[in-house]
Amino acid sequence: MKVLFRIFFLLLICSAETSVAQYIQVNDTYSGQQLIENVLVNNPCANVTNFSVSGDTFGGIQKSYGYFNAGTSNFPFTEGIVLTTGKATSAVGPNNLILSDGGTSWLGDSDLEAALGVSNSINATVLEFDFIAITNKISFDYIFSSEQYLLNATTNQCSYTDGFAFLLKPIDNSLPYQNLAIIPGTSTPVKINTVRGIGSVCPPANQAYFDAFNGANHPTNYNGQTVKMKAEADVIPGKTYHIKLVIADQGNNLYDSAIFLGANSFKNNIDLGPNKLFATQNPICFGETYNLIATQTGNNTYKWFRNNIEITGEVNPIYTVTDSGIYKVEITINGTSCVAATGEVNIEYSPLPVLNSPNILVQCDENFDGITTFNLRKLDATITIGNNQLSGLTYYESLYDAKNQINPIPNPTAYQSATSNQVFGRVTNSFGCANYAIINLEIANNSIVSPTITKCDAGATGFVNFDLNLDVTPQIVLGLPFGMIVEYYLSANDAVLQLNPLNTLFTNTISNQQTIFARLINGSDCYGIVPVLLKVIPFNPQELDDETFYLCENDTKTLSISNGYSSYLWNSGETTNSISITLPGNYWVTVTNSAGCEKTKNYVVLASSSAIITGIDVSDFIGYENSILVNFSGNGTYSFSLDGLNFQNSPLFTNVTIGDYTIIIKDTNGCPNTISGIISVSDYPKFFTPNGDGTNDYWQIQNFQNHAQSILYIFDRYGKLITQVDTSGLGWDGTFSGQILPADDYWFYLELNSNKIIKGHFALKR
């Protein structure tokens, strides 16, 4: 479809000129000299010669170069020259064809290849000429357009790039050409892959210089183009140069490209220096002057303009700028009527930083010697009015030093001066424009009473907690102006510099006595610095330590404190140094000494009582395993004894030997002991030897005096009753009816008067 449309479109145009109102118009009948003299240069002062143009003529019908004008379109150039790698007339919009007009026999250009570092160029169009430089700079405007700006490119097409170059060199030497078609500020040639915008799969590059990918309704028939750019070079006035403007396809003859050169844009320029703009971060600072130098050799006249309005009476080659504007100079060479050179520069002025000035910084003089330390940095935010876009606030002792940036105050957070009461702050904005603020230094010498604050130390450690806001501040500010702020510091120097402020809940760091310093602030000024003596009074008498004791039933106890204190207050309401109590419970007394220190003594009074014996269980007649268990009641803590000497915590006595005992129960809390009657532990021997030697001649129940009414029977092993023994007598002598019985085991039956029966056996040994 695109090819059929192209055939139809070609039928509507002649080989000389096309004219469609919303598109550019192209005339390809111009010669090289006409394109240079009448279009590109168009200045009677210009000295241009040796014109040459080459390209393809497409069988003598059409050319690859020509004149164009914008018609009624919005193309950036009103008119100019077009150089293409195809037919010049094919450059006319709309953009609905892919232009690939050049044939394979149309050669490339070796100078272009050398300048761009490429090979295999094809379809080259070249426009070249010589000129004599009038000023020290030349320039001209151009736009690069190409079908290779593909919005819907594939990734393998991203490296395709046609090339062009604006080649310049003096004609009297063999230096290589200088390429002027470069990205500003770099040495990178302008090509498809060095200037491209976003929107396709191909990576963008130097987007600021890319105009757009084109839709169908565009003044030209190319897929995209750069913005209007400027090619420029430094030259030597009076020297002859050769310039060669060349464009070519690279690699193959497909996807044509074009260079549009702005009419009348080839200028012998005067370099008035760079633009001074906010956008480029280099505006001139308010109040400064800036010289524009247009001086050229010869009998020249100069005319200066500001915002296209002539500056009356300014005819010198140097103009001093004092205000923002677009400044231009026109130079008429050697008394002719020809304006041979122009120069233009855009100047913007930055306002100076807005500062708060003058300022007053009031500081205290802790020793009243007329010298103190100022923290100038306290004024940083005040001077800059909180503008964090300003920077470099530096302090100096004189305005001269500040303006010349010499001898800055090395430590503005601790500045001392005995000779000057004024310093200066220098501040710059983001463009380096400086302004200056005055700081007047004053010393406050207000008289403030130095307080002594005492606090009692109930722990006698030498350290207590002070609430400086409650304990100290009210005494300091009494009688001073309302709204005073008080800060506290460990040293006078810290107070002067406001370094390391103390927490208002402060524990002294030196035992018993320490001096700290209070800084009084009235608004933003230091009103005064005053020492504060903190004294710690130990108050921890040992007799006021808490006590716990026991109160026996029906007893009375006196709680007493020595009478050397100023006051006493018991929880019962009594105010004497002692009270009597009859009930257990919690009691306390608060005592106050002559210094006003208070301490509270706590008494915990617990109930106790003597034990009550409710029964005694004696387990005897079991040899070494005899025991006594005391049964008791009571709410005390008790220990138990059988002899009044040795006490134990348990009421159970084991391994009790034969004997009589008196049980004593002692209350460990001090209540009276409980004493039992006599308790007997009885037993019987396991054998006896009735041989008349006076030892073990009788067998009898031992320690049995408390059981006098008991009955004791003895039997032989066959159960025969041998005898009934009187438990209060000597016992059995080992005979039966006067006959000596043989050695053997014998059994006994003991019936106690408590109806308790004990049975056992023993041995008779001969």
Side-chain angles (χ1 to χ4, degrees):
M1 179 64 71
K2 196 166 185 179
V3 174
L4 293 175
F5 184 86
R6 178 182 177 88
I7 295 173
F8 174 75
F9 183 73
L10 291 174
L11 294 175
L12 299 179
I13 62 173
C14 66
S15 64
E17 186 172 8
T18 64
S19 177
V20 180
Q22 60 184 0
Y23 310 120
I24 66 170
Q25 302 175 19
V26 174
N27 185 330
D28 63 358
T29 63
Y30 280 49
S31 67
Q33 183 173 354
Q34 289 175 315
L35 292 174
I36 298 300
E37 286 187 335
N38 300 338
V39 182
L40 183 61
V41 178
N42 194 23
N43 186 336
C45 296
N47 191 349
V48 291
T49 58
N50 198 20
F51 313 104
S52 172
V53 64
S54 63
D56 198 355
T57 61
F58 299 94
I61 300 175
Q62 294 174 298
K63 297 176 183 176
S64 61
Y65 52 88
Y67 162 84
F68 78 89
N69 64 63
T72 59
S73 74
N74 60 356
F75 194 71
F77 292 135
T78 302
E79 58 180 340
I81 298 170
V82 57
L83 308 178
T84 80
T85 61
K87 295 177 182 178
T89 54
S90 296
V92 176
N95 176 37
N96 53 11
L97 299 172
I98 291 295
L99 302 180
S100 298
D101 290 339
T104 57
S105 60
W106 180 7
L107 300 180
D109 185 86
S110 59
D111 290 334
L112 173 64
E113 293 175 358
L116 301 184
V118 299
S119 60
N120 301 322
S121 64
I122 192 172
N123 297 354
T125 295
V126 180
L127 177 65
E128 50 191 328
F129 60 94
D130 296 338
F131 68 92
I132 299 174
I134 299 175
T135 61
N136 58 5
K137 198 174 192 70
I138 64 158
S139 68
F140 54 91
D141 300 331
Y142 70 94
I143 293 173
F144 173 54
S145 298
S146 180
E147 293 283 42
Q148 288 184 335
Y149 279 124
L150 296 173
L151 187 59
N152 298 314
T154 60
T155 54
N156 66 328
Q157 292 176 306
C158 294
S159 59
Y160 293 167
T161 176
D162 290 343
F164 73 99
F166 303 146
L167 305 176
L168 175 72
K169 70 177 180 177
I171 64 172
D172 58 354
N173 61 46
S174 59
L175 293 174
Y177 278 115
Q178 173 189 358
N179 182 19
L180 310 185
I182 56 176
I183 296 169
T186 74
S187 59
T188 303
V190 177
K191 297 188 293 182
I192 303 296
N193 56 5
T194 62
V195 178
R196 179 160 45 207
I198 60 174
S200 72
V201 298
C202 301
N206 297 296
Q207 297 179 64
Y209 301 104
F210 182 71
D211 181 23
F213 293 104
N214 298 328
N217 191 27
H218 190 264
T220 72
N221 195 11
Y222 295 102
N223 287 330
Q225 65 280 322
T226 68
V227 298
K228 183 169 70 172
M229 302 182 71
K230 184 180 291 292
E232 53 188 356
D234 295 327
V235 293
I236 300 174
K239 197 174 188 67
T240 302
Y241 291 85
H242 181 73
I243 189 166
K244 179 177 182 179
L245 313 176
V246 54
I247 186 170
D249 287 333
Q250 198 274 322
N252 57 53
N253 62 325
L254 305 178
Y255 291 90
D256 294 342
S257 298
I259 288 295
F260 293 91
L261 304 169
N264 305 318
S265 69
F266 188 88
K267 304 290 186 183
N268 285 283
N269 295 329
I270 297 300
D271 186 1
L272 297 178
N275 291 330
K276 299 286 187 175
L277 305 173
F278 289 101
T280 53
Q281 298 293 304
N282 64 339
I284 299 173
C285 300
F286 178 80
E288 294 182 2
T289 59
Y290 184 70
N291 287 334
L292 303 178
I293 302 174
T295 305
Q296 297 295 310
T297 303
N299 183 22
N300 308 319
T301 59
Y302 300 84
K303 184 182 295 186
W304 291 92
F305 298 82
R306 177 177 178 270
N307 297 333
N308 289 322
I309 299 174
E310 183 178 353
I311 303 173
T312 305
E314 290 294 336
V315 295
N316 294 317
I318 299 175
Y319 178 74
T320 300
V321 175
T322 59
D323 199 2
S324 300
I326 299 175
Y327 291 87
K328 183 173 71 172
V329 64
E330 292 181 353
I331 305 175
T332 302
I333 301 296
N334 293 326
T336 67
S337 60
C338 177
V339 177
T342 61
E344 185 175 289
V345 66
N346 193 353
I347 304 294
E348 292 178 343
Y349 269 80
S350 168
L352 301 183
V354 177
L355 304 180
N356 185 41
S357 181
N359 302 272
I360 298 176
L361 183 59
V362 180
Q363 181 59 292
C364 297
D365 179 7
E366 75 280 8
N367 57 7
F368 302 100
D369 64 353
I371 301 174
T372 189
T373 303
F374 291 88
N375 181 0
L376 304 178
R377 288 292 177 206
K378 288 180 59 179
L379 290 177
D380 284 6
T382 301
I383 290 174
T384 60
I385 319 178
N387 184 355
N388 57 16
Q389 300 300 312
L390 302 180
S391 61
L393 177 51
T394 308
Y395 293 93
Y396 299 84
E397 289 191 324
S398 71
L399 185 58
Y400 176 84
D401 286 354
K403 288 185 175 181
N404 291 279
Q405 298 184 69
I406 58 175
N407 305 317
I409 293 173
N411 188 7
T413 59
Y415 173 69
Q416 284 188 347
S417 175
T419 60
S420 175
N421 60 359
Q422 190 177 75
V423 294
F424 299 85
R426 181 182 187 274
V427 184
T428 59
N429 61 15
S430 59
F431 308 114
C433 298
N435 203 358
Y436 306 90
I438 299 172
I439 301 98
N440 294 310
L441 306 178
E442 296 183 4
I443 294 178
N445 292 312
N446 297 299
S447 178
I448 306 169
V449 176
S450 177
T452 297
I453 307 300
T454 60
K455 201 157 190 181
C456 300
D457 179 13
T461 63
F463 301 92
V464 296
N465 296 324
F466 290 87
D467 187 331
L468 301 179
N469 277 343
L470 296 177
D471 300 334
V472 186
T473 299
Q475 296 191 42
I476 293 179
V477 301
L478 184 64
L480 298 182
F482 178 76
M484 198 75 65
I485 296 174
V486 184
E487 299 173 342
Y488 295 93
Y489 300 85
L490 280 178
S491 69
N493 186 63
D494 281 357
V496 169
L497 297 178
Q498 290 183 282
L499 299 175
N500 310 310
L502 298 177
N503 291 326
T504 55
L505 296 178
F506 173 68
T507 300
N508 55 302
T509 58
I510 301 174
S511 64
N512 299 323
Q513 184 168 300
Q514 182 174 8
T515 298
I516 63 173
F517 295 85
R519 178 188 177 98
L520 284 76
I521 303 171
N522 187 15
S524 61
D525 298 331
C526 181
Y527 186 84
I529 293 175
V530 59
V532 178
L533 179 61
L534 303 178
K535 294 185 68 175
V536 177
I537 301 177
F539 183 54
N540 189 30
Q542 187 173 357
E543 68 169 329
L544 296 181
D545 292 343
D546 294 344
E547 282 190 62
T548 298
F549 60 85
Y550 292 85
L551 181 66
C552 298
E553 288 181 326
N554 303 317
D555 198 1
T556 299
K557 184 77 172 180
T558 298
L559 307 181
S560 179
I561 303 294
S562 64
N563 60 3
Y565 300 104
S566 298
S567 66
Y568 307 82
L569 179 61
W570 296 85
N571 62 315
S572 61
E574 296 173 81
T575 58
T576 58
N577 70 314
S578 65
I579 62 172
S580 296
I581 62 171
T582 58
L583 295 174
N586 294 325
Y587 300 85
W588 61 89
V589 60
T590 300
V591 300
T592 306
N593 69 1
S594 59
C597 297
E598 292 183 349
K599 187 171 182 180
T600 298
K601 177 181 178 70
N602 294 290
Y603 297 89
V604 178
V605 180
L606 303 175
S608 192
S609 65
S610 300
I612 298 174
I613 298 175
T614 59
I616 299 174
D617 297 332
V618 178
S619 297
D620 51 4
F621 295 101
I622 50 179
Y624 294 109
E625 297 181 2
N626 295 331
S627 65
I628 297 175
L629 175 64
V630 181
N631 300 305
F632 68 96
S633 64
N635 62 355
T637 303
Y638 305 108
S639 60
F640 305 85
S641 176
L642 296 179
D643 58 8
L645 298 175
N646 301 297
F647 285 84
Q648 65 181 42
N649 294 330
S650 172
L652 175 63
F653 297 90
T654 59
N655 300 321
V656 180
T657 59
I658 298 169
D660 294 330
Y661 299 96
T662 298
I663 296 173
I664 300 174
I665 303 178
K666 180 170 64 177
D667 176 25
T668 59
N669 299 319
C671 293
N673 294 342
T674 300
I675 303 174
S676 72
I678 295 175
I679 305 300
S680 296
V681 176
S682 303
D683 211 339
Y684 63 92
K686 299 299 185 286
F687 68 92
F688 77 112
T689 56
N691 53 13
D693 62 359
T695 301
N696 294 328
D697 287 336
Y698 294 92
W699 185 90
Q700 177 63 288
I701 300 297
Q702 298 173 347
N703 196 34
F704 208 64
Q705 60 272 19
N706 292 330
H707 301 282
Q709 302 303 317
S710 301
I711 300 174
L712 175 61
Y713 299 97
I714 297 175
F715 301 87
D716 65 10
R717 67 168 55 238
Y718 304 107
K720 178 182 177 180
L721 177 65
I722 300 299
T723 184
Q724 177 179 343
V725 181
D726 182 0
T727 57
S728 63
L730 290 176
W732 181 46
D733 61 359
T735 64
F736 177 70
S737 298
Q739 298 293 321
I740 296 174
L741 294 178
D744 201 351
D745 284 343
Y746 293 86
W747 299 82
F748 71 89
Y749 176 94
L750 176 62
E751 183 178 340
L752 302 178
N753 54 12
S754 60
N755 295 324
K756 179 180 178 181
I757 296 174
I758 298 174
K759 297 178 181 180
H761 65 91
F762 59 92
L764 187 156
K765 296 181 180 181
R766 294 291 182 182

